[in-house]
Amino acid sequence: MPYINSKLTVKLSQEDEEHLKSQLGKIIAEIPGKSEEWLMLSFEDNETIYFRGNKMEKAAFIEVKIFGTTEREYKNKVNNLICAIYEAELNIPKDSIYITFSEVNDWGFNGEMF
């Protein structure tokens, strides 16, 4: 039950979204017990982001939510991989990307709680 939301200053094409979707599906599998099969994604592109008091031309704020907990080493690996993809694919420098991780214990799906 992972969820990844990306707020980006850049405009995404449909091709960009499809490619990122595919890459993020592979990346989430780095966390034990998580897979693309249950991954939900959303993209908020062409957003205004200020960082260090400046309006950023290229920046991203990414939220990764997972059901349950995982060790920091897996979060670090996912963090590094997401930064690398967004830098390579969207030319957003790693030092302009923030990623938060939330571990959620109460998660509902299909009218029931896990």
Side-chain angles (χ1 to χ4, degrees), residues 33-95:
K34 306 304 175 198
S35 69
E36 183 177 19
E37 181 180 351
W38 288 97
L39 177 62
M40 183 178 279
L41 296 168
S42 60
F43 299 102
E44 299 175 48
D45 64 348
N46 212 24
E47 293 282 324
T48 299
I49 297 177
Y50 287 87
F51 184 47
R52 298 182 179 137
N54 299 306
K55 185 175 180 179
M56 301 298 292
E57 181 181 333
K58 302 240 179 185
F61 180 76
I62 301 160
E63 300 169 282
V64 179
K65 295 178 187 259
I66 60 168
F67 177 64
T69 61
T70 193
E71 294 180 27
R72 188 174 179 87
E73 70 179 281
Y74 300 115
K75 293 178 208 172
N76 192 51
K77 187 168 188 180
V78 167
N79 183 52
N80 287 330
L81 291 169
I82 290 174
C83 282
I85 292 297
Y86 281 64
E87 185 174 56
E89 300 296 323
L90 303 175
N91 296 313
I92 299 174
K94 290 180 184 180
D95 66 356

Side-chain angles (χ1 to χ4, degrees), residues 1 65-68 103-109 112-114:
M1 283 62 41
K65 295 178 187 259
I66 60 168
F67 177 64
E103 298 174 329
V104 180
N105 291 322
D106 295 319
W107 199 297
F109 169 71
E112 300 288 331
M113 296 299 295
F114 283 103

Side-chain angles (χ1 to χ4, degrees), residues 1-41:
M1 283 62 41
Y3 170 69
I4 301 174
N5 180 49
S6 301
K7 280 189 192 239
L8 310 161
T9 57
V10 297
K11 179 74 176 150
L12 297 178
S13 68
Q14 187 63 40
E15 280 183 6
D16 292 332
E17 281 191 17
E18 287 293 322
H19 186 70
L20 289 172
K21 176 193 75 71
S22 175
Q23 294 299 318
L24 292 170
K26 293 174 187 170
I27 290 170
I28 203 65
E30 295 295 330
I31 298 175
K34 306 304 175 198
S35 69
E36 183 177 19
E37 181 180 351
W38 288 97
L39 177 62
M40 183 178 279
L41 296 168

